[in-house]
Amino acid sequence: MVMFSQLRRFMISDEQGRQAKLNDLSVELLEGDHPHVTCLFFVGSKRQKCSIRWEQVQSIDWQARVIKVADLSEAKNESAESMAKAVLLGAGILDALVLDLQNRRATRANDLLLEEKDGKLLLQAADTGLGAIARRLTSGFFGPVSESALYDWKYVEFLRGDPQAVRSESGQHLRISRLPPGDIARLSDALPYLHAAELITLLPDPKAADTLETMPPERQLQVFEELDEEQALRLLELMAPDIATDLLARLHPSTMRRFVEQLPRKQAERIIELLRYPEHSVGGIMTNDVVYVCGDLTVAEAREKLRVPLKVPDFVYLVYVVDDDKSRCLRGAISIRDLITGPDEKKLEEIMDPYLIALQPLEPADESAHRVLDSPLAALPVVGDDKRLLGVVTVDAAVAQVAPRSWSAQAPRIFS
């Protein structure tokens, strides 16, 4: 094993006796948990950065600090296109922000540990300790390697600070996407906003949307404005309509209108409906993505009809019972548990709870939030003057409304 700061003291030598000082190494980060070195870089005779493929390496003399290659004259000047998927260890990863996924923290790569295995040189770990800094200041002569400061690259996510950088790659790194959205959002809090935006681009769209929903409003806006329009639209389509509405409302009106006009009709209609209500009203904090069904259906019929609708909304703890799909006049509610365990032949109106406390959309949000928290239910329905079901205010929306700003930003999102 060798540290990158020590390896940079090595010379590259070919069979004809030509020599050049090793300047940098490149890896392709998507090549497994421990990516292997793909190219060696050195400064050529015309002061241009040249590279030679790792396949040209014949052996490494660790004592003499010499990397032996077949022919240095076969080195090439690397173009931006040929380096699209490669990352330089020295110019790219060293001193960059990395995410330690095991300990859920952001840190810096002060040095890198490499290991020769089966004819390849593998990137094994990032050294985040103070010893790594001393090692670099002394060109690798001093600076102990602390085991506790080494983080296995298998559990490290590298961030360039450039959301555009990963769009030409296959993206979607499995390591970061294994974490829950809440953990990813908390990790992003410790990052500059460009790094946080890049983090979102690494995720599959469903998890990226969930992560964006969990971020505090200020960070959410910073990240969203750095996404390309195509990805931003995909995430808006997947987000809960109430959170998507809050996000769009913080954009410039012309930008908001452009996004709404490009969204699928159903999501656009939900967002437009929510934009009608004042920010500090019940309508301003409710979600209108709710599951409802007609009361004259049997339990078995309702189960079959709701099989698909239950897959989409965040809030599915309660199913609301209405007169019919057109009027949506609220009659009661039934829990998912009762819907699953209820007798097949029973009508929903026979087993539903008809005694619901309902909120009005223009009521003050603070006062109504306390009513939600005092209720034993996970949410309270919102109805218009004609008793039409408009949406619900969930417990976590109520907490976000009444809790101190510093606390509510860290509170887990359960239903929305």
Side-chain angles (χ1 to χ4, degrees), residues 85-374:
K85 294 185 179 181
V87 177
L88 295 174
L89 298 191
I93 298 180
L94 209 60
D95 293 324
L97 274 172
V98 294
L99 298 180
D100 168 18
L101 303 184
Q102 282 189 311
N103 298 291
R104 305 292 202 269
R105 71 186 187 107
T107 184
R108 287 196 179 273
N110 296 327
D111 206 349
L112 301 166
L113 177 67
L114 298 114
E115 180 182 10
E116 187 182 20
K117 186 181 293 185
D118 299 328
K120 295 181 178 181
L121 194 60
L122 306 180
L123 175 57
Q124 289 287 352
D127 188 343
T128 65
L130 294 176
I133 299 175
R135 199 179 309 121
R136 289 171 57 189
L137 290 174
T138 59
S139 300
F141 284 103
F142 301 104
V145 178
S146 171
E147 289 287 335
S148 62
L150 289 177
Y151 292 99
D152 191 331
W153 194 262
K154 181 179 180 180
Y155 305 107
V156 168
E157 193 70 76
F158 165 65
L159 299 174
R160 300 168 175 84
D162 180 7
Q164 301 287 342
V166 295
R167 289 177 186 140
S168 60
E169 301 178 2
S170 57
Q172 300 186 2
H173 292 200
L174 293 178
R175 285 171 290 187
I176 188 66
S177 63
R178 291 188 187 116
L179 298 186
D183 281 3
I184 301 174
R186 278 188 284 275
L187 268 173
S188 76
D189 286 345
L191 302 174
Y193 73 95
L194 287 175
H195 290 75
E198 181 186 353
L199 188 59
I200 289 294
T201 66
L202 294 174
L203 301 170
D205 284 344
K207 181 152 285 187
D210 289 343
T211 302
L212 196 62
E213 286 182 352
T214 312
M215 290 179 176
E218 295 80 4
R219 173 46 58 95
Q220 189 184 76
L221 181 61
Q222 288 176 334
V223 167
F224 185 81
E225 289 183 329
E226 294 302 323
L227 304 178
D228 66 47
E229 190 163 303
E230 183 180 342
Q231 184 186 20
L233 279 167
R234 294 199 309 268
L235 299 190
L236 282 173
E237 182 181 353
L238 293 170
M239 291 172 68
D242 55 322
I243 303 176
T245 301
D246 292 341
L247 174 57
L248 287 172
R250 295 193 294 274
L251 300 175
H252 189 277
S254 61
T255 305
M256 176 182 67
R257 181 174 181 175
R258 188 175 74 251
F259 276 119
V260 172
E261 288 175 346
Q262 295 182 74
L263 282 170
R265 184 179 61 83
K266 191 171 184 179
Q267 180 75 333
E269 288 175 351
R270 286 172 175 161
I271 289 173
I272 292 170
E273 183 181 349
L274 292 174
L275 284 170
R276 295 166 43 205
Y277 299 106
E279 180 181 358
H280 298 295
S281 67
V282 166
I285 65 170
M286 75 176 182
T287 179
N288 55 359
D289 193 11
V290 294
V291 180
Y292 60 88
V293 69
C294 297
D296 59 355
L297 295 179
T298 65
V299 170
E301 291 170 336
R303 282 198 215 107
E304 184 60 33
K305 184 172 184 178
L306 294 174
R307 190 180 301 276
V308 174
L310 282 173
K311 293 180 180 179
V312 180
D314 290 321
F315 180 74
V316 293
Y317 184 75
L318 293 171
V319 173
Y320 291 94
V321 181
V322 298
D323 272 343
D324 55 68
D325 289 334
K326 186 176 181 180
S327 69
R328 271 171 39 191
C329 181
L330 183 64
R331 295 181 57 188
I334 181 172
S335 69
I336 290 294
R337 176 182 294 176
D338 289 341
L339 185 64
I340 293 173
T341 61
D344 288 353
E345 70 282 358
K346 286 279 189 180
K347 296 279 189 181
L348 292 182
E349 57 192 12
E350 297 179 67
I351 62 173
M352 71 181 185
D353 177 7
Y355 304 107
L356 296 181
I357 299 173
L359 305 174
Q360 294 287 318
L362 296 179
E363 290 178 1
D366 284 350
E367 179 183 325
S368 298
H370 284 289
R371 292 176 64 189
V372 174
L373 296 176
D374 290 339

Side-chain angles (χ1 to χ4, degrees), residues 13-16 18 52 56 58 69-75:
S13 176
D14 68 6
E15 294 175 347
Q16 289 73 37
R18 290 185 288 256
I52 190 164
Q56 294 287 329
Q58 296 177 330
V69 300
D71 190 352
L72 272 175
S73 66
E74 293 187 9

